[in-house]
């Protein structure tokens, strides 16, 4: 048997031969036993053991293992051990890529350029200090999408609905809200948008929190980020931190934005 460049020469029948004084002869088969006793001497014994094992496994990666060993027997006994192991392994791993092909086809029909609008919901930030909104606008433009407009509003339901109407009037098909998704007393973006959703996309929030957990650990559970549809638009409610909006934009929104907007028209 050769392992890792090591070759061993063995008698393929694993023969062990030891002369005996006259006594008993035993022949043992693996499945049956045959005994011949010749009472020539009360102490000498001669034993022959024949073992043959064949293992066949039907997979498709073909592995052949041959094992051959020669062992020295006990003085006064003659043993012949024939071990023959044949392993045939064949593994056929067929992975269907049909799902990937379907997803690729859907994306190939999706619009490349989407008109988007960015809304920052904050009681403390203004346009000059709106780092998260700026990152969203730059990321959308770099990906080839059109930024139809942007605004900063207070964490207030009426102000948020007013910004949504402004985005709709600008012809936006996607509206990205940043801020107001925590559990603070004034955080109301999620409640305001969820009341308007025609269809919610819970998977967006689930995936975002999973990705956030991989980066920041348990604080990710505090985010209530979500997404949904409203009158032919897709709305995203994102946290207020620049790191969070970049993560959501790059990992989830940009890869699916065109596909999502296409689905709205079906």
């Amino acid at each position: 048997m050769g392992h890792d460049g090591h070759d061993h020469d063995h008698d393929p029948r694993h023969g062990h031969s030891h002369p005996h004084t006259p006594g008993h002869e035993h022949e043992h088969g693996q499945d049956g036993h045959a005994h011949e006793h010749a009472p020539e001497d009360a102490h000498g014994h001669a034993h022959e053991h024949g073992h043959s094992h064949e293992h066949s496994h039907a997979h498709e990666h073909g592995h052949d293992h041959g094992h051959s060993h020669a062992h020295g027997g006990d003085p006064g006994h003659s043993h012949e051990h024939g071990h023959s192991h044949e392993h045939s392994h064949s593994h056929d791993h067929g992975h269907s890529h049909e799902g990937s092909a379907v997803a690729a086809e859907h994306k190939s029909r999706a619009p490349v350029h989407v008109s988007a609008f960015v809304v920052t919901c904050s009681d403390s930030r203004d346009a000059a200090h709106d780092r998260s909104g700026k990152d969203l606008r730059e990321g959308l433009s770099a990906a080839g999408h059109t930024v139809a407009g942007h605004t900063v509003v207070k964490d207030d339901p009426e102000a948020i609905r007013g910004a949504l109407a402004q985005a709709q009037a600008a012809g936006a098909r996607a509206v990205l809200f940043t801020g107001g998704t925590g559990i603070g007393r004034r955080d109301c973006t999620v409640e305001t948008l969820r009341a308007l959703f025609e269809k919610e996309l819970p998977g967006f929030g689930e995936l975002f929190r999973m990705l956030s957990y991989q980066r920041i650990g348990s604080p990710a559970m505090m985010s209530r980020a979500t997404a949904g549809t409203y009158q032919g638009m897709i709305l995203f409610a994102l946290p207020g931190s620049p790191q969070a909006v970049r993560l959501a934009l790059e990992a989830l929104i940009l890869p699916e934005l065109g596909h999502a907007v296409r689905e709205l028209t079906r």
Side-chain angles (χ1 to χ4, degrees):
M1 176 173 63
H3 295 291
D4 301 323
H6 300 288
D7 292 328
H8 305 280
D9 286 330
H10 302 294
D11 181 344
R13 296 190 56 204
H14 313 287
H16 309 287
S17 178
H18 304 284
H20 295 288
T21 55
H24 304 285
E25 284 187 10
H26 302 282
E27 290 184 8
H28 301 289
Q30 178 67 13
D31 296 320
H33 300 281
H35 304 279
E36 292 185 5
H37 301 282
E40 295 181 8
D41 188 84
H43 301 289
H45 303 281
H47 304 284
E48 288 185 10
H49 304 288
H51 302 287
S52 176
H53 306 285
E54 289 188 7
H55 304 286
S56 177
H57 305 283
H59 304 294
E60 258 183 3
H61 273 345
H63 304 289
D64 286 335
H65 305 285
H67 303 284
S68 174
H69 305 282
H71 304 287
D74 219 347
H77 299 281
S78 170
H79 304 282
E80 285 188 14
H81 301 288
H83 300 286
S84 173
H85 301 285
E86 293 182 10
H87 300 286
S88 175
H89 299 286
S90 167
H91 302 280
D92 192 82
H93 300 292
H95 299 285
S96 173
H97 300 286
E98 185 177 347
S100 300
V102 171
E105 182 183 355
H106 283 181
K107 288 187 178 183
S108 69
R109 299 176 183 176
V112 177
H113 306 292
V114 172
S115 178
F117 197 98
V118 176
V119 180
T120 299
C121 304
S122 174
D123 288 339
S124 59
R125 282 178 285 173
D126 56 22
H129 301 89
D130 181 21
R131 173 65 186 276
S132 294
K134 181 174 181 289
D135 286 348
L136 286 175
R137 296 193 303 272
E138 291 178 351
L140 288 164
S141 297
H145 300 294
T146 301
V147 179
H150 63 93
T151 187
V152 179
V153 298
K154 297 292 184 181
D155 261 337
D156 175 77
E158 186 176 350
I160 293 170
R161 286 191 294 266
L164 182 57
Q166 186 180 346
Q168 194 172 24
R173 300 300 308 278
V175 186
L176 284 64
F177 294 82
T178 171
T181 61
I183 60 173
R185 183 177 57 86
R186 292 280 297 166
D187 290 328
C188 63
T189 305
V190 173
E191 285 75 19
T192 303
L193 296 182
R194 189 169 277 156
L196 300 174
F197 284 162
E198 295 164 353
K199 292 182 175 65
E200 188 168 3
L201 279 69
F204 171 78
E206 293 164 356
L207 290 172
F208 174 75
R209 281 180 284 277
M210 179 194 74
L211 294 172
S212 295
Y213 178 77
Q214 292 173 353
R215 296 196 177 192
I216 65 173
S218 58
M221 68 182 284
M222 306 297 284
S223 173
R224 297 184 300 129
T226 189
T229 66
Y230 172 70
Q231 296 186 1
M233 299 182 291
I234 183 163
L235 315 181
F236 295 95
L238 311 176
S241 77
Q243 294 85 356
V245 299
R246 285 195 297 269
L247 174 62
L249 184 68
E250 295 167 6
L252 299 174
I253 297 175
L254 290 179
E256 293 297 326
L257 186 57
H259 183 200
V261 170
R262 174 180 176 270
E263 290 297 304
L264 288 173
T265 62
R266 295 185 64 187

